[in-house]
Amino acid sequence: MQILETPRLIIRYFTIRDLENLSPILADPQVMEFSIIGVHNSQQIRQFIEQRLLSYIEPGFGLYALIDKQTKELIGYCGFFLQKINADREVEIGYRLATKYWGRGLATEAAQALYQYGRQKFDFKRFVCLIEPDNIRSIRVAQKLGMKLEKQIIYYGINVEMYTVNIDQF
């Protein structure tokens, strides 16, 4: 089911049929370089999709499939997930794209659309991105979204920078 459309993307729910097209993305060492889990095998990719399907039911949102309007190809994902950071529950916006789509502004385009969707549909007031300091591409996306470095934290044993934006600042 489609939830949003941008000039270049269709943003929709994942389905189990996406397994074949998502596999090369999540199995790519370049795409997964800054993933806590790392490169995914086929079982992990199936679990990833199943977790997305459950998240659409509870809490009612999640990560969404990004489809290139021109080619109709699944090119990655973008969306929300809840993070517990210290005692706070935060809404993180996350994104990953197939490498051939890097550098085109598509992660920013998707994240901007989903910011508005999250604010309007779920009344989110704040978003975070947890990013390793060496992940320059992801930092650039966060900065283009108006996010600022709030603090450095240890997340699952990894030093990350926490970028934040309040919707009224966007």
Side-chain angles (χ1 to χ4, degrees), residues 20-143:
E20 183 179 330
N21 295 320
L22 187 61
S23 291
I25 298 169
L26 298 185
D28 183 333
Q30 277 187 283
V31 172
M32 302 307 287
E33 177 182 3
F34 296 104
S35 166
I36 291 170
I37 298 171
V39 170
H40 286 41
N41 62 35
S42 59
Q43 180 182 350
Q44 290 169 314
I45 295 167
R46 177 176 287 281
Q47 289 171 338
F48 174 88
I49 291 175
E50 289 170 353
Q51 289 167 349
R52 305 297 66 83
L53 298 175
L54 290 173
S55 76
Y56 302 148
I57 298 166
E58 181 63 36
F61 54 82
L63 298 172
Y64 305 102
L66 300 179
I67 308 300
D68 181 301
K69 275 177 145 178
Q70 196 169 41
T71 66
K72 307 298 185 228
E73 180 181 0
L74 174 71
I75 65 166
Y77 66 77
C78 184
F80 321 111
F81 47 99
L82 294 175
Q83 296 286 11
K84 188 165 185 175
I85 301 170
N86 300 323
D88 299 322
R89 283 182 54 162
E90 300 275 10
V91 177
E92 181 168 13
I93 188 156
Y95 36 83
R96 287 196 196 283
L97 294 177
T99 54
K100 76 179 192 177
Y101 289 93
W102 289 4
R104 298 183 191 183
L106 292 166
T108 302
E109 184 175 317
Q112 285 174 332
L114 284 162
Y115 269 174
Q116 294 304 319
Y117 179 74
R119 183 180 61 122
Q120 293 166 2
K121 175 123 175 133
F122 303 109
D123 200 29
F124 295 149
K125 304 288 187 214
R126 172 178 157 94
F127 291 98
V128 304
C129 282
L130 302 177
I131 306 171
E132 290 182 52
D134 292 339
N135 191 347
I136 303 304
R137 285 183 183 90
S138 194
I139 290 170
R140 267 189 260 141
V141 171
Q143 289 171 337

